[in-house]
Amino acid sequence: MSRIHLLNSRLANQIAAGEVVERPASVAKEVLENSLDAGATRVEVDVESGGSKLIRIRDNGSGIPSDDMTLALARHATSKIASLEDLERVGSLGFRGEALASIGSVSKLTLTSNANEVGSEGCSAVCEGRDMEVQLKPASHPQGTTVEVRDLFFNTPARRKFLRKEKTEFNHLEEVVKRLALSRFDVGFSLRHNGKVVHNLKAAAAQTERQRRVAAVCGPAFMEQAIAIESEVPPYRLTGWVGLPTFSRSQADLQYFFVNGRVIRDRLIAHAVKQAYRDVLYHGRHPAFVLYLELDPAQVDVNVHPTKHEVRFRDGRAVHNFIFSSLHRALADVRPGQELERDPLPQHMLSTPDGMAIDTATGEIRSQSALAWGASSASRGAVSGRTYSHNATTAAQVSGQMSGYARLHGMPAAVSEEEVPPLGYALAQLKGIYILAENTHGLVVVDMHAAHERITYERLKAARADTGILSQPLLVPQSVAVSQREVGIASQHSELFERLGLAVEAGGEESLVIRQIPVLLRDSDVEQLVRDMLADLIEFGSSERIEAHMDEILSTMACHGSVRANRRLTIPEMNALLRDMEETERSGQCNHGRPTWTQMGLEELDKLFLRGR
Ligand code: ADP
Ligand code: MG
């Protein structure tokens, strides 16, 4: 081995770059965060060849004073924090003072800035050589900063090899822009790739403008099928949008979580969200959400990871609880008649007063729009946004009063519009599978087995909540080998286990004994459940596994105990089912997360028949 020597600064920076500069997307993230920290209200991103050839980001922020240009490119130099106290309540996105130095060490970087100083129109800086000496020269730039990064990894061929196809790298970079655009509605963003505009998002102040931005970033279908969240339990506040369970995804690719404006990927949060959706999501599907958590910066440590994608909460358990209960409540309320309160969306389809429909995106004529609508809603296979759509009221005006048929069957004689229940009154049964009903908006179609299954399931759960969990002693107590730590956790949570019908005791330093289990779990692998619960308790401070497993069993029971397809129901029976659905939490989806009903408004029917053209 040779003697110890100090690394030259380019090499030291290149080592640091290993942590933060993985690919073009990470460059964009660091540079954009600097723009936001500088108070920019508009940022323009220009990219060539997925970012490996060029990333140019221009902002209108505060700019960098000429005298600070050299420091801006040096490692461990930052204007954002000065003391440990600052570090403990960081308000800016950056604070490590490493990004520009790292990026500069693995690319050809030019920094041009104007801080609006007297006698200067700006200056530009390039750093070169093994010790990264900075070359400064005057330049003309409006107030703000432009960072130009060319030929990323040109001098680190090993890393350059890890870059993917241009398209893939660009997708990652676009994702970074999307996240930041969702985190700061007050800032305008534009993104161009190889000269083509990909996004142009104007600053959004009003709620409708924000929704428009979310729709532009996450797709209009998400906004059409999202519930707005607004929940506050000091010191926490949660806002944003979550997709209806029926708008689930095959991948966890539409999940945005922000903590005090910072994009976060966190296991604790992912777990809380997943738990909230547990009972309403089809197995293996992922929820979609855009959520903002705000709390006192002193309650969260952002300095736990170089890319700051992870955070640590002072009181993780309380955060978990708060997120879970906020979302759980909101999702439980998804049932017929709980129309979503919100401002009109930038809707793709506009209806005109004379009943015409115009596709605002393409200007297509009505018949084509009707076909396009049919195709998209079928491919989504979900309760579409129509259920909650705003133009439903216009259909109500047309529909006038309920059909005489419904009135014949035990309904009030004169039915005014307000008295018609959300799911209306049954008209008939189709093929022994669907109930057809009429409400003020038009036609309601209900999958009767799916609906009944959810109702039975919720009743079984309610009954369990009333009577508590029946539990039975094991003839032969079961001993489980665990770690010392797990023995400790088990005794610490003995009350929780008891409440769930489990008697779990320490059997020795490294073993637990299960003496009693819930009757419902007779045939389950209780040992594995207890192990998994302990793992949850260690990681998240809570566990719903036992409940989840019991719910699964109740759900299976509900499935068997529910009306099967092909059973004839009488009209009063059908009406009773509709009323039950309106009363039952989560009745918008069956136990497996499939929709239980859908609405076909008069307008949609009209469209199908080209009426009113
Ligand atoms: P950090 O963001 O952690 O402070 P960086 O290496 O990203 O470290 O940036 C170093 C410094 O350069 C920042 O603290 C800031 O003072 C200055 N700076 C960088 N980019 C900009 C910008 N777009 N506008 C104004 N100042 C900037
Ligand atoms: Mg920075």
Side-chain angles (χ1 to χ4, degrees):
M1 250 191 357
S2 46
R3 301 288 299 271
I4 300 177
H5 58 271
L6 283 175
L7 298 173
N8 71 55
S9 55
R10 179 172 291 268
L11 187 54
N13 285 330
Q14 284 174 336
I15 291 171
E19 282 188 326
V20 285
V21 190
E22 187 194 345
R23 58 187 348 157
S26 27
V27 171
K29 172 183 179 289
E30 294 295 336
V31 177
L32 280 168
E33 287 187 349
N34 282 344
S35 298
L36 296 178
D37 281 344
T41 56
R42 165 116 206 123
V43 288
E44 286 161 25
V45 185
D46 257 296
V47 174
E48 279 173 30
S49 304
S52 61
K53 186 153 171 243
L54 170 74
I55 300 172
R56 188 192 303 115
I57 298 182
R58 167 192 278 259
D59 70 47
N60 65 351
S62 60
I64 305 169
S66 319
D67 288 349
D68 288 358
M69 291 288 278
T70 306
L71 270 182
L73 293 168
R75 196 146 61 102
H76 304 312
T78 178
S79 57
K80 298 170 191 176
I81 58 169
S83 66
L84 180 63
E85 259 161 53
D86 292 346
L87 181 59
E88 284 176 349
R89 36 169 56 252
V90 175
S92 55
L93 295 168
F95 54 83
R96 302 170 65 97
E98 285 189 321
L100 290 184
S102 300
I103 297 167
S105 72
V106 293
S107 69
K108 298 173 186 160
L109 181 144
T110 313
L111 177 66
T112 311
S113 194
N114 175 352
N116 208 10
E117 295 161 291
V118 222
S120 160
E121 283 183 43
C123 85
S124 121
V126 192
C127 60
E128 274 161 22
R130 118 188 233 282
D131 283 311
M132 301 190 70
E133 304 85 8
V134 177
Q135 316 292 322
L136 280 183
K137 56 176 195 234
S140 173
H141 193 280
Q143 183 178 342
T145 304
T146 298
V147 176
E148 201 177 272
V149 178
R150 286 189 181 272
D151 301 329
L152 184 63
F153 300 141
F154 78 99
N155 53 356
T156 49
R159 309 210 58 196
R160 193 161 176 97
K161 264 193 254 150
F162 277 94
L163 289 182
R164 299 300 181 82
K165 287 199 307 259
E166 170 173 332
K167 180 89 185 81
T168 311
E169 292 301 338
F170 180 73
N171 286 347
H172 283 283
L173 192 148
E174 183 188 359
E175 191 60 31
V176 163
V177 175
K178 283 179 171 186
R179 282 186 210 145
L180 288 169
L182 288 176
S183 79
R184 290 290 300 272
F185 289 103
D186 56 328
V187 176
F189 288 84
S190 76
L191 172 63
R192 295 199 304 172
H193 189 207
N194 297 333
K196 214 175 119 248
V197 176
V198 180
H199 286 286
N200 194 2
L201 305 163
K202 278 182 281 173
Q207 184 68 359
T208 41
E209 292 170 346
R210 291 168 171 233
Q211 289 179 355
R212 194 169 300 143
R213 177 176 288 194
V214 177
V217 170
C218 303
F222 171 69
M223 272 320 265
E224 278 167 28
Q225 302 188 65
I227 315 170
I229 300 292
E230 185 148 11
S231 167
E232 184 162 6
V233 177
Y236 308 116
R237 196 172 123 81
L238 186 71
T239 54
W241 299 269
V242 298
L244 287 171
T246 42
F247 179 77
S248 60
R249 318 262 305 166
S250 61
Q251 286 173 21
D253 59 350
L254 215 165
Q255 305 191 335
Y256 298 97
F257 202 97
F258 303 89
V259 176
N260 289 346
R262 195 184 282 283
V263 188
I264 289 303
R265 290 216 159 261
D266 183 87
R267 282 175 56 80
L268 179 97
I269 286 166
H271 185 262
V273 174
K274 198 169 150 223
Q275 242 181 37
Y277 272 91
R278 168 168 69 71
D279 220 10
V280 289
L281 212 55
Y282 197 70
H283 185 70
R285 302 285 295 178
H286 300 271
F289 53 85
V290 177
L291 288 169
Y292 304 86
L293 176 70
E294 286 157 65
L295 73 171
D296 178 356
Q299 291 293 312
V300 40
D301 187 356
V302 293
N303 188 27
V304 295
H305 194 270
T307 62
K308 296 165 252 132
H309 271 319
E310 287 167 27
V311 292
R312 197 180 296 128
F313 295 104
R314 281 279 147 79
D315 191 348
R317 198 171 294 189
V319 171
H320 184 282
N321 248 335
F322 170 68
I323 294 171
F324 167 75
S325 49
S326 304
L327 299 185
H328 188 70
R329 186 68 258 147
L331 291 168
D333 277 343
V334 178
R335 56 185 141 155
Q338 304 295 109
E339 305 248 334
L340 305 179
E341 270 298 320
R342 64 180 181 207
D343 304 322
L345 281 174
Q347 281 192 329
H348 178 56
M349 298 296 299
L350 273 188
S351 48
T352 61
D354 56 357
M356 299 271 284
I358 300 166
D359 187 318
T360 51
T362 63
E364 269 177 318
I365 57 162
R366 197 186 148 102
S367 56
Q368 284 169 325
S369 322
L371 289 173
W373 166 82
S376 73
S377 68
S379 64
R380 270 189 259 137
V383 179
S384 85
R386 302 167 270 147
T387 313
Y388 299 96
S389 83
H390 299 273
N391 39 27
T393 41
T394 41
Q397 290 153 9
V398 193
S399 106
Q401 49 170 202
M402 297 299 298
S403 74
Y405 189 74
R407 254 180 282 142
L408 272 178
H409 293 273
M411 307 308 138
V415 194
S416 76
E417 261 177 39
E418 296 86 86
E419 289 169 49
V420 179
L423 291 178
Y425 297 116
L427 300 170
Q429 198 178 10
L430 182 67
K431 298 278 183 200
I433 300 171
Y434 299 108
I435 294 171
L436 306 183
E438 179 180 345
N439 68 358
T440 48
H441 306 316
L443 180 68
V444 170
V445 184
V446 173
D447 177 334
M448 88 193 183
H449 174 70
H452 195 233
E453 193 178 295
R454 169 59 77 175
I455 292 164
T456 315
Y457 175 42
E458 292 295 329
R459 284 209 184 119
L460 287 171
K461 284 198 295 183
R464 185 186 65 201
D466 277 354
T467 56
I469 293 163
L470 284 183
S471 103
Q472 69 183 32
L474 288 176
L475 281 181
V476 185
Q478 192 170 346
S479 95
V480 186
V482 293
S483 68
Q484 278 191 17
R485 171 143 188 238
E486 285 168 322
V487 174
I489 290 282
S491 56
Q492 203 182 314
H493 290 89
S494 62
E495 218 170 90
L496 169 75
F497 283 107
E498 227 167 87
R499 200 151 34 78
L500 296 171
L502 279 160
V504 179
E505 294 163 14
E509 256 179 42
E510 294 190 335
S511 81
L512 289 171
V513 181
I514 307 174
R515 296 195 183 283
Q516 191 154 334
I517 61 166
V519 178
L520 213 46
L521 298 188
R522 227 171 359 219
D523 302 320
S524 313
D525 184 348
V526 182
E527 174 179 335
Q528 192 54 46
L529 274 175
V530 168
R531 281 184 194 287
D532 292 346
M533 265 184 88
L534 290 170
D536 284 352
L537 289 171
I538 288 172
E539 191 166 6
F540 309 113
S542 74
S543 175
E544 289 226 326
R545 276 184 205 270
I546 295 284
E547 283 104 322
H549 198 70
M550 287 195 289
D551 283 355
E552 262 166 44
I553 293 169
L554 292 184
S555 167
T556 311
M557 286 163 56
C559 181
H560 291 297
S562 298
V563 278
R564 292 266 138 210
N566 288 323
R567 227 198 83 196
R568 285 278 143 209
L569 296 184
T570 64
I571 294 281
E573 279 175 323
M574 290 187 236
N575 279 320
L577 184 66
L578 297 178
R579 300 296 80 76
D580 277 347
M581 283 175 72
E582 287 153 3
E583 299 290 305
T584 305
E585 290 190 335
R586 303 176 194 84
S587 67
Q589 317 88 41
C590 77
N591 304 350
H592 315 290
R594 287 189 295 266
T596 54
W597 68 288
T598 190
Q599 171 91 58
M600 287 194 83
L602 274 190
E603 279 188 5
E604 275 130 1
L605 291 169
D606 286 350
K607 262 181 233 158
L608 287 176
F609 296 100
L610 310 180
R611 270 181 80 95
R613 268 187 90 171

